[in-house]
Amino acid sequence: MIADRRPLLLLLGWFALWPAVAADLPPQTMTPMPGKPVARNFVLPDMDKRIHRLSEARGRVTMVNFWATWCPPCRRELPSMQRAWESLKPHGFAMYAINLGEDEEAIFPFILSTGVEITFPILLDRRAEIVKQWPVLAIPTTFVLDRDGRIVYRAVGGREWDDPKLLETIRALMRE
């Protein structure tokens, strides 16, 4: 029953965040996840039809972002995600951005409109099935996993992922 309401809850969650989005002052923090649950594995194609499995990232600190093209904070955070990716990738970092319910025809022009070449994997959750298996509260929601695949942090709403505070939090996790 709750799974049927999940898209509505995601949309309502996004509107709950609207005051922070409208003020353009998103907090540059992440919330520690109680109990550090193990992240659910996924097997998803990217826009080039290459298959990605979360389990392949084991041993690396990993960011998993859930987003959609209709989401204004998603548009704003993608360029900073790319800059964070460029900074952290050489140190064994993994990053996945999982699009919810859309196809390449909707995603490609959206990505182009950011003005940034996105080089991290954009994965397609065409039927929005994977998002239902994760503790997503609104779009965007981003998770940072430790090397053992446990969800250590969650960020609900857009962020500037290349913010020094966020990068240092991720780097500290990479040093553990």
Side-chain angles (χ1 to χ4, degrees), residues 32-140:
M33 283 294 288
K36 298 180 183 176
V38 174
R40 292 287 301 263
N41 191 35
F42 56 72
V43 179
L44 291 170
D46 64 20
M47 292 181 46
D48 295 322
K49 313 260 187 289
R50 182 171 170 244
I51 300 298
H52 295 263
R53 292 169 174 78
L54 180 60
S55 59
E56 293 170 347
R58 274 287 166 98
R60 295 184 282 167
V61 171
T62 303
M63 178 186 287
V64 178
N65 171 270
F66 290 90
W67 69 284
T69 63
W70 48 262
C71 162
C74 299
R75 178 182 306 270
R76 284 196 298 273
E77 80 175 351
L78 274 175
S80 70
M81 288 175 62
Q82 177 62 34
R83 291 187 298 272
W85 170 244
E86 291 168 2
S87 174
L88 298 169
K89 180 184 176 190
H91 307 288
F93 184 71
M95 180 184 288
Y96 302 103
I98 301 176
N99 176 272
L100 304 179
E102 299 175 298
D103 62 20
E104 297 89 342
E105 289 182 25
I107 298 168
F108 188 70
F110 175 87
I111 297 289
L112 288 177
S113 75
T114 68
V116 174
E117 181 183 1
I118 304 298
T119 60
F120 56 85
I122 302 289
L123 307 183
L124 307 175
D125 185 7
R126 287 192 177 102
R127 293 183 294 206
E129 293 174 348
I130 301 304
V131 69
K132 295 173 190 174
Q133 300 172 13
W134 285 63
V136 173
L137 300 177
I139 301 301

